[in-house]
Amino acid sequence: MRSHYCGQVNESLIGKEVSVAGWVHRRRDHGGVIFVDLRDREGLLQIVFDPDAKDVFADAERLRGEFCIRIKGLVRARPGGTANANLASGQVELLAQELEILSRSETPPFHHDEPVNEELRLKYRYLDLRRDVMQKRIRLRHQVTRAMRDYLDSNGFIDIETPMLTKATPEGARDYLVPSRTHPGQFFALPQSPQLFKQLLMMAGYDRYYQIVRCFRDEDLRAERQPEFTQLDIETSFLSEEQIMQLMEALIRHLFKDVLGDDLPNPFPRMTYAEAMRRYASDKPDLRIPLELVDVADLVKGCDFKVFSGPAANPDGRVAALRVPEGGTKLSRKEIDDYTTFVGRYGAKGLAYVKVNEKAKGRDGLQSPILKFLSDDAINGILSRTGAQDGDLIFFGADTAKVVNDSIGALRIKVGHDLKLTKTGWHPLWVVDFPMFEWDPEAKRWAALHHPFTAPRIEDAAALRADPKNALSKGYDMVLNGSEIGGGSVRIHRTEMQSTVFDLLGISAEEAQIKFGFLLEALKFGTPPHGGIAFGLDRIVMFMAGTDSIRDVIAFPKTQTAADLMTSAPTGVSEEQLKELHIRVKLPVKVEG
């Protein structure tokens, strides 16, 4: 039907006949000559319809935007001064000899160059995907997956599929459940990840596995979350933690070099979880923003300002300072008040601050309502520790460590963006030495910071049981520009240690057998040391595409309410279908008034 894509027609084809097909991007009538920009996935090509070819010209007069057509014609150079350097085909045009209208189009709900809201884009996603920017994003995604496969294939990894219908297991989010017709009253779950299956593959001897796989989580959504998402899933055997990290780091360097031509640092910097939380109040610090938190609890522990002294004396509290260079001159009182409201969203009860007008004058060179509560030693210590200079502003967070980290960590990012302090480029980072557990105050038990199959650094199960609070895991996260793009760990490969971890997590032997019995059984049969990682494919492509929502790099995404506007899913189903599944729907009662 066609001999060339539109974007492939260039000067090398001048004087030759070609056939092209695509959509009418734009139609222009210039004094009796009709010009049509024809679009396909490779670009645009200018088609010229001469009135001397009466039948073809008559058909061309009926063309409208988004008509799907086929053209046969003669390639010729564009007249002097009419070339378009922005197009691959911009030096030539096609003189139409034949025109076939393959299908007509109604007036579309939006045009290719028209700003349009996301709901309309998602409702008519097939039209949205025709736009050049979306074509480039989806092609970029293909380049990313191809580069991933090339690297992994060349390093001895095997692509293996794992089941979509599996067993519900607790992995931190709600499962999507699928009722079984053949087993009444029982359910499959869609996998939140292939975690257990990839560990079983290591036990089966496939020592280098990967899979680009769909995963499902029924959780609240945001720009970087979807109910169904894609990850690059990887597992290895007989490699140390260091070897796994080096191999995966090389994968990401290869990916960015192959797809974007960008060189990432070699090696990536590394930071412990404790250092990341201390300096940046986040386990995925954005290194593009050159602002850091400084602990000052020891300087204000005995002060008369209970907002500071209380958390300073609390083992679970934190008092931290955030110095904003030139913030005292750049930020107005209203902006500071707005920041106070902002941190309140994260549980902070207020936002204390000190303006540094003239540091050399000590207390007299500062401006703040809290100065009267602080000693000269405390003030001088804060100025010295933060490295404050004239014109700076120092914000303070004082509360439980969680509230301070959440609020001042978010403030650090916001101030960095507001004052345009963000550095350009890619800033990757490994975060390592995560705590093995975190305390859940509501459930009053330990919870796994990664997942229950992550190995602790300590090899002795009895020692782990004796001091779970201070135990570190063999977990590692890869962070890029303030977002986690990959997370993994070395796994537990001994039955005694896995049972100890389950016990510390409050999972009884009976419950463990019900939920993970098949894994515990497999651990009895010579399990090799193994570990792996999972990369968020959608998130990586989102960064590479320069957009801020993974919906922009997924062909058919859901909305933030997990709905598909194009197909109107989810929908109700017939009583007959429900009856086959032995299910009755009970809708929540609406309360009037």
Side-chain angles (χ1 to χ4, degrees):
M1 185 171 283
R2 65 180 170 195
S3 62
H4 296 78
Y5 284 105
C6 292
Q8 295 173 341
V9 179
N10 55 36
E11 301 96 310
S12 68
L13 296 172
I14 289 176
K16 295 182 179 179
E17 285 188 348
V18 300
S19 293
V20 292
W23 289 267
V24 175
H25 188 70
R26 189 180 290 109
R27 176 183 174 277
R28 309 182 302 281
D29 194 332
H30 288 181
V33 177
I34 295 175
F35 293 91
V36 166
D37 292 333
L38 189 67
R39 183 188 72 243
D40 62 19
R41 74 176 206 187
E42 298 297 331
L44 296 175
L45 175 63
Q46 179 169 285
I47 313 294
V48 181
F49 294 91
D50 192 302
D52 290 342
K54 294 182 180 180
D55 292 341
V56 175
F57 190 83
D59 288 338
E61 288 183 311
R62 296 196 295 271
L63 295 179
R64 298 293 182 268
E66 300 308 314
F67 273 36
C68 185
I69 63 175
R70 184 185 70 85
I71 302 289
K72 183 179 181 181
L74 181 69
V75 180
R76 68 184 188 186
R78 290 199 188 191
T82 65
N84 186 344
N86 296 320
L87 297 179
S89 64
Q91 301 298 318
V92 299
E93 60 189 16
L94 188 66
L95 179 62
Q97 297 170 331
E98 295 178 13
L99 165 61
E100 181 182 1
I101 298 177
L102 300 173
S103 66
R104 290 169 168 77
S105 172
E106 296 182 2
T107 301
F110 55 86
H111 295 286
H112 51 83
D113 56 355
E114 179 184 1
V116 62
N117 68 62
E118 188 178 45
E119 284 194 4
L120 198 60
R121 287 177 53 205
L122 293 179
K123 182 176 181 180
Y124 296 95
R125 188 61 163 185
Y126 42 87
L127 298 180
D128 185 45
L129 288 172
R130 290 181 187 177
R131 296 190 305 134
D132 182 59
V133 63
M134 292 304 298
Q135 291 270 326
K136 288 178 179 176
R137 288 168 180 169
I138 300 303
R139 295 281 291 275
L140 174 68
R141 187 182 179 105
H142 161 68
Q143 291 175 282
V144 168
T145 57
R146 183 193 61 199
M148 286 175 168
R149 292 185 187 280
D150 287 347
Y151 175 87
L152 293 168
D153 290 347
S154 66
N155 280 276
F157 285 82
I158 303 171
D159 184 358
I160 306 175
E161 291 182 343
T162 53
M164 286 289 108
L165 295 175
T166 183
K167 184 175 184 175
T169 56
E171 294 188 40
R174 295 183 193 90
D175 287 317
Y176 276 101
L177 299 178
V178 180
S180 171
R181 178 184 59 81
T182 54
H183 300 276
Q186 297 185 339
F187 295 80
F188 293 105
L190 300 180
Q192 294 184 34
S193 78
Q195 180 63 48
L196 299 181
F197 287 103
K198 67 180 180 179
Q199 288 190 245
L200 292 169
L201 286 170
M202 295 304 102
M203 300 170 194
Y206 300 94
D207 62 312
R208 292 197 176 194
Y209 142 94
Y210 83 94
Q211 183 182 187
I212 296 175
V213 60
R214 296 294 268 180
C215 302
F216 306 86
R217 293 182 184 176
D218 186 6
E219 58 185 351
D220 295 334
L221 305 182
R222 58 191 184 206
E224 293 185 24
R225 284 183 179 171
Q226 281 279 291
E228 51 180 324
F229 58 95
T230 306
Q231 69 183 35
L232 171 62
D233 201 48
I234 296 172
E235 197 78 3
T236 67
S237 298
F238 305 113
L239 292 181
S240 68
E241 179 181 1
E242 181 64 29
Q243 289 172 318
I244 295 171
M245 291 174 68
Q246 288 181 1
L247 196 61
M248 296 303 100
E249 184 177 311
L251 162 64
I252 298 302
R253 275 198 300 272
H254 166 80
L255 177 62
F256 276 75
K257 182 66 174 179
D258 184 82
V259 176
L260 298 181
D262 291 349
D263 291 306
L264 298 188
N266 185 10
F268 292 178
R270 297 189 185 187
M271 187 178 297
T272 65
Y273 172 89
E275 182 183 359
M277 297 303 294
R278 175 174 57 81
R279 294 172 60 187
Y280 302 104
S282 171
D283 60 0
K284 45 182 181 295
D286 191 340
L287 300 185
R288 297 174 300 170
I289 298 173
L291 302 177
E292 296 188 21
L293 280 71
V294 176
D295 285 310
V296 296
D298 59 310
L299 301 176
V300 299
K301 193 170 185 178
C303 74
D304 295 330
F305 191 37
K306 294 194 184 306
V307 171
F308 280 5
S309 59
N314 183 348
D316 295 323
R318 184 178 189 188
V319 184
L322 178 71
R323 171 193 164 224
V324 181
E326 301 181 23
T329 58
K330 291 183 177 179
L331 295 174
S332 67
R333 178 56 191 268
K334 181 185 181 305
E335 288 172 314
I336 293 174
D337 289 343
D338 289 343
Y339 287 140
T340 303
T341 303
F342 174 78
V343 297
R345 301 174 198 165
Y346 298 88
K349 300 178 182 67
L351 182 63
Y353 66 91
V354 170
K355 280 188 177 183
V356 183
N357 297 325
E358 292 185 67
K359 181 182 176 182
K361 291 184 177 181
R363 179 189 297 272
D364 294 336
L366 307 179
Q367 181 183 345
S368 172
I370 69 170
L371 292 174
K372 59 187 176 183
F373 300 110
L374 303 178
S375 67
D376 288 342
D377 286 344
I379 290 171
N380 292 332
I382 290 169
L383 294 176
S384 174
R385 195 170 292 180
T386 59
Q389 302 296 323
D390 291 353
D392 290 353
L393 182 70
I394 305 172
F395 286 118
F396 295 89
D399 209 304
T400 63
K402 181 179 185 339
V403 169
V404 171
N405 290 339
D406 289 348
S407 59
I408 305 302
L411 179 66
R412 172 184 171 269
I413 300 297
K414 182 166 178 57
V415 170
H417 287 302
D418 288 351
L419 296 183
K420 296 181 171 53
L421 302 176
T422 308
K423 295 181 285 188
T424 59
W426 303 112
H427 295 267
L429 172 73
W430 282 110
V431 178
V432 297
D433 288 346
F434 284 84
M436 184 74 181
F437 306 106
E438 58 183 349
W439 184 252
D440 184 339
E442 293 185 6
K444 295 183 179 179
R445 61 178 176 82
W446 294 108
L449 199 68
H450 270 89
H451 55 62
F453 316 107
T454 297
R457 290 213 169 277
I458 192 168
E459 299 290 341
D460 184 356
L464 176 66
R465 188 183 296 275
D467 188 18
K469 180 178 180 179
N470 294 309
L472 299 179
S473 75
K474 293 183 179 179
Y476 36 82
D477 283 358
M478 187 182 290
V479 177
L480 181 67
N481 291 5
S483 273
E484 177 195 334
I485 61 169
S489 68
V490 172
R491 323 301 185 189
I492 297 169
H493 70 284
R494 294 192 177 98
T495 303
E496 181 187 7
M497 182 62 80
Q498 187 65 76
S499 297
T500 298
V501 169
F502 281 158
D503 192 34
L504 287 168
L505 295 174
I507 301 173
S508 68
E510 293 76 19
E511 183 183 2
Q513 191 62 40
I514 292 170
K515 293 179 177 177
F516 309 110
F518 59 95
L519 179 71
L520 296 176
E521 183 72 14
L523 282 172
K524 300 175 183 177
F525 297 98
T527 301
H530 60 286
I533 195 168
F535 290 102
L537 176 63
D538 309 302
R539 191 171 296 181
I540 290 173
V541 179
M542 177 187 77
F543 279 130
M544 288 181 149
T547 183
D548 58 4
S549 171
I550 63 171
R551 291 190 294 275
D552 288 336
V553 296
I554 298 172
F556 298 103
K558 306 291 189 295
T559 67
Q560 285 198 304
T561 60
D564 183 341
L565 299 181
M566 185 182 66
T567 64
S568 298
T571 63
V573 296
S574 69
E575 286 295 328
E576 289 77 7
Q577 287 176 289
L578 291 176
K579 188 175 180 180
E580 278 190 323
L581 297 170
H582 310 281
I583 287 177
R584 180 181 300 149
V585 174
K586 184 178 180 180
L587 296 175
V589 177
K590 291 184 179 180
V591 179
E592 297 293 336

